[in-house]
Amino acid sequence: MNSTSHLVVDSYEEAFVKNIVIVFLGVIINSINGMLVVTFLANPIFSNDSRYILYIHLVINDTIMIFVTVTLYVMSYVLRLLNFPFCCTLIFLATTTFMISPLNLAGMAVERFIAVCKPLHHHQLCTPQRTYIFICFLWFIGVIPSLADFLILLSTQPASFQRTVVFCYPPVVFPTKLHQDRFTYSQIIYMSLVWFIVIYTYCNVMFTAKRASSGGSANKARNTILLHGVQLLLCMLSYLTNVLDFLLISLFPLHRSKINFLTYLLTNIMPRLLSPLIYGVRDQKFVKKMKEHFTCTFCFTKIAP
């Protein structure tokens, strides 16, 4: 997760354009996500399918993350300094939702693996109740890195630090080497686990599709898991933000603020725009229900007196 890193003061015009672009894209993404959530809630058929439950949880999770990170971005211009507890709350939400996204994708890949490779056990293993328990487990795992940051902060900083106002940027709020090590190790562990799950499930589904006499559903599931890998690659772009900033700023030191803006836009905002569309728009059943719901809603609104 990388909210903002523009410590250089921009001109009024440049700051205005940057904020308009970020807010506009944030509104577009969350509007699309909102349509997906409404479609899910309006059609009970989806709430009984673990596949769609996991998908809509991913959408809601990314919606929260976009809202929080865009809020942090705008506040870094409007209110340069924020109250420490309020800042920590925002960073806590942003970091937690950032960690949950790839874990949720891994869960979606496992669900497809069970549907294809263990079809007789799918309805027993992937029930809605167990899916909701799994989502709670995802939040428990996702919260651990954020809690670790705060525990390190409490043990290394004086109590007076918690009553100050700070520039609400994670490296500023969590400045110690322990925080840097926590960030590095947690990313390595989490992403290695997620990639192992996605690759393992994809390979098994691919082998099952080859063995199947009628491989239509297996091929579809294989392609779906492959899309999970694409979504995961999009999520991983966020981990490259600091690397891209370092490389580009070393080459163009006079354009630090513009580089920070572009890397944040490309590695944090755009993946969240593409991720729900890659999976949701491809699902014909979901798209059909979404069109039916919003077309009917529009018609009723139009003819209402």
Side-chain angles (χ1 to χ4, degrees), residues 91-93 95-96 142-151 174 182:
I91 292 178
F92 180 88
L93 286 173
T95 302
T96 301
V143 162
I144 292 175
S146 300
L147 289 178
D149 280 337
F150 289 111
L151 291 176
F174 307 118
R182 194 285 306 161

Side-chain angles (χ1 to χ4, degrees), residues 99-214:
M99 297 300 297
I100 288 174
S101 287
L103 296 173
N104 198 105
L105 288 171
M108 294 166 71
V110 170
E111 187 276 331
R112 288 294 84 196
F113 162 75
I114 296 174
V116 174
C117 300
K118 311 278 186 185
L120 298 178
H121 300 88
H122 182 262
H123 291 294
Q124 296 175 341
L125 296 175
C126 300
T127 63
Q129 293 78 11
R130 290 188 175 184
T131 305
Y132 288 120
I133 293 174
F134 175 73
I135 289 173
C136 293
F137 179 67
L138 289 185
W139 278 89
F140 173 76
I141 297 177
V143 162
I144 292 175
S146 300
L147 289 178
D149 280 337
F150 289 111
L151 291 176
I152 294 171
L153 186 69
L154 292 174
S155 63
T156 57
Q157 299 293 333
S160 59
F161 185 71
Q162 303 171 29
R163 296 188 294 271
T164 60
V165 291
V166 294
F167 184 81
C168 201
Y169 177 53
V172 175
V173 179
F174 307 118
T176 68
K177 186 178 183 301
L178 287 174
H179 288 108
Q180 297 174 9
D181 292 340
R182 194 285 306 161
F183 178 81
T184 301
Y185 294 138
S186 64
Q187 302 312 313
I188 293 174
I189 294 172
Y190 278 50
M191 295 311 299
S192 297
L193 175 63
V194 170
W195 272 113
F196 172 79
I197 292 173
V198 171
I199 293 173
Y200 176 81
T201 53
Y202 177 76
C203 290
N204 278 274
V205 168
M206 184 175 62
F207 294 146
T208 301
K210 288 183 177 180
R211 293 195 303 265
S213 56
S214 177

